[in-house]
Each structure stands twice: as structure tokens, then as C-alpha cells.
Amino acid sequence: MENIFFILVIIYFFGLLQLRLRWNRNYPYDLDTPIEGASTDVTVVIAVRNEERNIPQLIQSLKNQTYKYINFIIVDDHSTDQSYTLLQSFESERFKIYRLPSKLSGKKQAIRLAVEKAKTKLIITTDADCLHHPHWVNRFVSAHRLTGAKMISGPVRFQNGNSLWEKILNVEFSSLIITGAASIRRKRANMCNAANLCFERKAFLSQNNYKEHAHIPTGDDEFFLHQLARNNPNQIIFLKHKESIVNTPPPNNLKTFIEQRVRWASKWKHYKNRGPQLTSIFIFLFHLFFYLSAASTFFFNGNLMLFFVTFMLRIGIELYYLKGILKWQGDQNNLWLVPIISIFYPLYAVIIGLMATFSNYTWKDRKFSV
């Protein structure tokens, strides 16, 4: 077991090293390029369900945007609280409010409806619990002007609170963001986040093979990403600019966190691209063999030295890897948590992997099967 774990860690080591080196690169669109003269119309799209507590700060965050040629479409997904009523009070020429027809439900359907209602070239999606820099939209427009990309993925950050739970989730979520970002920059796109995603409306309606995944309740962002990547990975970029960061609160308890991650992970078996599928399988086996190797070492007289060296190699590359994004987004004080997370993360990864394959989950008061 120790030998297999060692081989997996070596593959893991060089994989993370490649990703970190790609993350280190800065491209022209990552810099403070001028936005003067830009006149591309943009629609910001938000799907909402039971978000009455977050709507006032969301509307204010959107109103604070400095880009001029922008409007907003918010679609309510049959909220059972006062979200829709509250949203209607903010409706104006720039803010259009819709409610999903009774025959439709889910975030994916809400985003689809909003994009169809929009008339602009560029669409930016975000979530109702997110906060944005005043130049957030400017940064996407600037990047699009420089590259002509059909999709621009942006960074999402879990707000770094005072509790240990919030700090752990800040580190763990950052690992997903840097992996998605660096993979896009390596032209092997596998992850993005609809909380901060810009794309051309025409590409969404024409190249997003929606019927392939319309029946799957999650993955509105990544299935579109994978379809674009199959056609031409050069038309996708990741925007690494601090003003493009979207901040969102982490799940407030373990139950919500597990439900969120099962929901995210449940779509892996529906991927059409081999790359993301193989990556998901490798990560599951990698974490599984950590515990199998540990059991072999401590209960069956395995090679303690090999296990120790392998484990330290893993922690070393994870520290180097995560330092890149944690320092960039101002959360470097959480770096000390990486070795602790490394011990317990494999258990979480294995459990979530199994639940995402064989169990059901609840999200926004709805039950789904995987």
C-alpha cells in the first residue's frame, strides 16, 4: 500500500507543481488595463431561491458597479419566503424581475430563462449571497476586449471570518479555485463557478448543448465549460484580478457543507470530457490510498519511513500550492491550517465521493437523487 501511495503522491506532486507554475503567470488581461471607451452591453444574471436576507445587500452591491452599460435580470425560483416580493420592490428599468413558470424549477432553468430574456452580447452570472468590487464588471469587459474569449471564469472567495470553521473552509475552497483557474490556463478546463462567470450570450445559446444535461439539477456552469473546451480551449480564460474577486459566505454548518459538496460532486459521472472524469477518479483513489497506506503502516508492520516521507512530500507541495492563492487573496494567515486539513481531508473526500455516487441530497428545501 505504501508503494502505491508513494506513486500516487509523485503524480500528485508534479500535477500540483504544473498548476502552481501556471497560476504564477500573469497575462495582459490580469493587469489594470484601461476601460475607457468600452461600450459593450452587459447583463448580470442571478437565480434566486429563498434569499430574502441577502437581497438588500445584493442589490446594493450591483448598484455600486461603476460600469455604465449594464442591466440586471433576477429570476426567482419559486421561493417560499418573501424573496420575490422583496425583489419586486427593486424592479426598475435596469433591474428586471421574473419568476420561473410553474412547469420549470431549479437554478439551471432560471439562468436559462434569464439569458434568453437578455439582449446583450455579454452575460455575467453571480449568486444572491455574493458581494462584488465596484469595478467587478469593468474587469470582465476589459478582459473580453483584450481576448475576445467566449467564457471568462472569475475567482470566488469564501469570506474569512473569525471562527476556525470559516478559516478551514476558506482554505479548502481556495484549493478548488486555484485548481480550476490553473487548469483553464493549461487549456485543460475542468472547473468554474457560476457565482462569477462571464460568457457570450450567443455561445451559451448556440454552443451550450443544453439538452444533454437539462435533466441534471446541478452543473449549469461546468457542463457549458466542458462543451466549450471540447470545441476550443483557447476561447476560455481565467481572470486573475483582485477586483474581479466575488466574496460569498461559507456554509454555516457541517450539514449544509456536506449537502453543498455532494451536490457539486454528483455531476462528475455525467461529464462527457475524459479529463475531468479521470481527475475525479484519481483524486478519489489518491485520498483512499492515504488511509489504506496508513492502516498498512501502523497495523500491519508496513514501511513507516516510506509512509512518513510520502506524507511530508504531500504536505510540502500542498503548502507551496495553496500559498499562491491564499497570499494573492489576502488569506495567507490561514496557511498554517494546511497540514491539519491534509490529515482529515482524505476522509472527507472519500465520503463525499461515495455519497455523490450513491446517495441523495437536499438543497434549497428540495430533494435530489444523484
Side-chain angles (χ1 to χ4, degrees):
M1 290 296 178
E2 298 90 328
N3 291 331
I4 297 175
F5 182 52
F6 177 76
I7 294 171
L8 292 175
V9 167
I10 293 298
I11 297 172
Y12 181 72
F13 179 94
F14 285 105
L16 292 193
L17 182 62
Q18 284 186 339
L19 291 174
R20 172 62 197 272
L21 293 176
R22 193 55 61 110
W23 167 263
N24 289 347
R25 293 186 186 181
N26 286 317
Y27 295 83
Y29 50 82
D30 293 326
L31 307 177
D32 290 318
T33 50
I35 196 68
E36 289 79 8
S39 58
T40 303
D41 289 332
V42 178
T43 299
V44 174
V45 164
I46 306 104
V48 169
R49 177 173 168 81
N50 296 344
E51 296 282 0
E52 62 180 357
R53 291 186 303 173
N54 294 315
I55 286 172
Q57 66 175 14
L58 168 69
I59 299 297
Q60 189 58 53
S61 180
L62 297 178
K63 285 182 176 180
N64 289 341
Q65 293 304 304
T66 58
Y67 189 69
K68 296 180 180 179
Y69 306 97
I70 181 176
N71 53 68
F72 310 92
I73 295 180
I74 305 176
V75 179
D76 180 76
D77 177 21
H78 308 291
S79 293
T80 57
D81 62 5
Q82 295 302 308
S83 293
Y84 184 59
T85 302
L86 187 57
L87 284 169
Q88 287 179 306
S89 68
F90 291 106
E91 189 163 19
S92 65
E93 185 176 348
R94 296 179 71 200
F95 284 83
K96 300 299 181 184
I97 311 300
Y98 298 93
R99 194 167 206 177
L100 270 180
S102 58
K103 63 181 180 180
L104 300 176
S105 67
K107 181 180 179 182
K108 187 179 295 186
Q109 301 283 5
I111 290 176
R112 181 80 182 187
L113 176 65
V115 174
E116 289 174 349
K117 295 285 186 183
K119 304 300 180 184
T120 58
K121 181 178 182 178
L122 285 183
I123 304 290
I124 303 178
T125 62
T126 190
D127 288 343
D129 58 356
C130 291
L131 295 176
H132 318 81
H133 190 279
H135 298 327
W136 172 59
V137 174
N138 293 48
R139 287 299 134 219
F140 280 109
V141 173
S142 176
H144 184 264
R145 287 181 71 192
L146 286 173
T147 65
K150 292 186 177 179
M151 176 182 281
I152 306 172
S153 177
V156 182
R157 172 182 173 268
F158 273 171
Q159 292 166 348
N160 186 18
N162 296 321
S163 72
L164 179 62
W165 171 253
E166 291 172 313
K167 294 180 184 298
I168 289 173
L169 293 194
N170 170 268
V171 174
E172 188 271 344
F173 188 64
S174 297
S175 71
L176 302 180
I177 299 303
I178 188 175
T179 300
S183 297
I184 288 173
R185 292 182 167 212
R186 289 187 68 219
K187 310 305 178 186
R188 296 181 180 178
N190 60 14
M191 284 191 292
C192 63
N193 196 311
N196 199 12
L197 192 65
C198 175
F199 50 84
E200 292 186 355
R201 178 177 180 270
K202 183 179 179 181
F204 182 91
L205 295 177
S206 63
Q207 293 185 255
N208 183 18
N209 196 351
Y210 187 71
K211 291 182 180 179
E212 283 189 2
H213 54 82
H215 63 289
I216 305 168
T218 185
D220 44 286
D221 44 11
E222 291 186 359
F223 289 118
F224 182 28
L225 172 78
H226 295 168
Q227 287 160 7
L228 286 178
R230 283 204 303 269
N231 295 330
N232 182 6
N234 293 312
Q235 62 193 353
I236 308 166
I237 65 171
F238 182 88
L239 177 57
K240 196 180 80 171
H241 193 292
K242 291 186 178 181
E243 290 180 354
S244 69
I245 296 175
V246 161
N247 287 284
T248 187
N252 55 17
N253 57 60
L254 182 61
K255 181 177 182 292
T256 305
F257 171 73
I258 290 175
E259 288 174 346
Q260 180 191 68
R261 296 315 164 89
V262 170
R263 178 172 63 95
W264 288 356
S266 64
K267 56 185 176 282
W268 77 269
K269 58 187 177 182
H270 301 288
Y271 289 159
K272 299 295 183 181
N273 296 20
R274 286 288 183 89
Q277 272 194 336
L278 293 175
T279 299
S280 299
I281 294 170
F282 173 82
I283 293 300
F284 176 81
L285 292 176
F286 173 77
H287 291 302
L288 176 63
F289 271 93
F290 167 72
Y291 283 119
L292 292 177
S293 180
S296 173
T297 299
F298 294 106
F299 298 107
F300 299 98
N301 297 319
N303 191 327
L304 179 60
M305 181 57 68
L306 179 60
F307 176 79
F308 178 77
V309 170
T310 304
F311 182 60
M312 294 307 295
L313 185 66
R314 175 193 160 189
I315 288 181
I317 190 60
E318 288 178 345
L319 282 167
Y320 173 70
Y321 184 59
L322 290 173
K323 183 179 179 181
I325 187 169
L326 291 176
K327 184 176 180 180
W328 177 74
Q329 64 188 24
D331 296 319
Q332 61 268 29
N333 289 338
N334 292 341
L335 193 64
W336 67 274
L337 288 166
V338 172
I340 299 173
I341 295 172
S342 293
I343 296 174
F344 297 102
Y345 191 85
L347 180 62
Y348 146 79
V350 171
I351 292 174
I352 294 297
L354 293 173
M355 291 179 67
T357 306
F358 301 109
S359 71
N360 301 325
Y361 64 90
T362 301
W363 189 250
K364 298 287 185 180
D365 301 321
R366 290 171 172 158
K367 292 185 178 181
F368 301 95
S369 60
V370 298

